[in-house]
Amino acid sequence: MSVAEQIEELRLELRRRSFIGGRVFFAHNQSALDCTIRDISSSGARIEFTHPFVGPSELILQIGTGDNVRDRVPCTVQWTKGKQVGHECMKNAAAEA
């Protein structure tokens, strides 16, 4: 079984592929980075940055940008792989994205 298959089995539910603009906020909302939400579920998201992510383990994920902001969800980083980061969301609002 591949690592990707093992990770998939650990998830509480399947994620839906997406291509949603977003932002992550950290340092008491003093710092922000643009990102792309690549897949999402009510319990988490996989996001991608333009550069490898180096940041805190807890942050706020804003789903949508500009006039299309859908929600701001507290998240915890579960894994990083270069420019991609997997998050566990602390409330179920992400599923409605």
Side-chain angles (χ1 to χ4, degrees), residues 2-22:
S2 73
V3 173
E5 290 170 332
Q6 291 172 3
I7 290 171
E8 195 68 37
E9 286 185 9
L10 295 174
R11 290 197 180 120
L12 299 174
E13 60 187 273
L14 292 176
R15 291 187 181 166
R16 295 174 299 174
R17 288 183 187 253
S18 65
F19 191 75
I20 303 169

Side-chain angles (χ1 to χ4, degrees), residues 15-24 33-41 44-49 60-65 68-73 75 83-85 87 89 93-95 97:
R15 291 187 181 166
R16 295 174 299 174
R17 288 183 187 253
S18 65
F19 191 75
I20 303 169
R23 275 189 134 183
V24 294
L33 293 172
D34 292 332
C35 65
T36 302
I37 302 166
R38 294 294 186 176
D39 59 41
I40 194 165
S41 73
R46 178 174 56 97
I47 65 174
E48 186 172 80
F49 297 95
I60 304 294
L61 173 61
Q62 176 180 290
I63 301 168
T65 58
N68 295 318
V69 173
R70 300 174 189 175
D71 205 352
R72 288 176 58 131
V73 185
C75 294
K83 298 186 294 185
Q84 296 190 0
V85 181
H87 293 89
C89 296

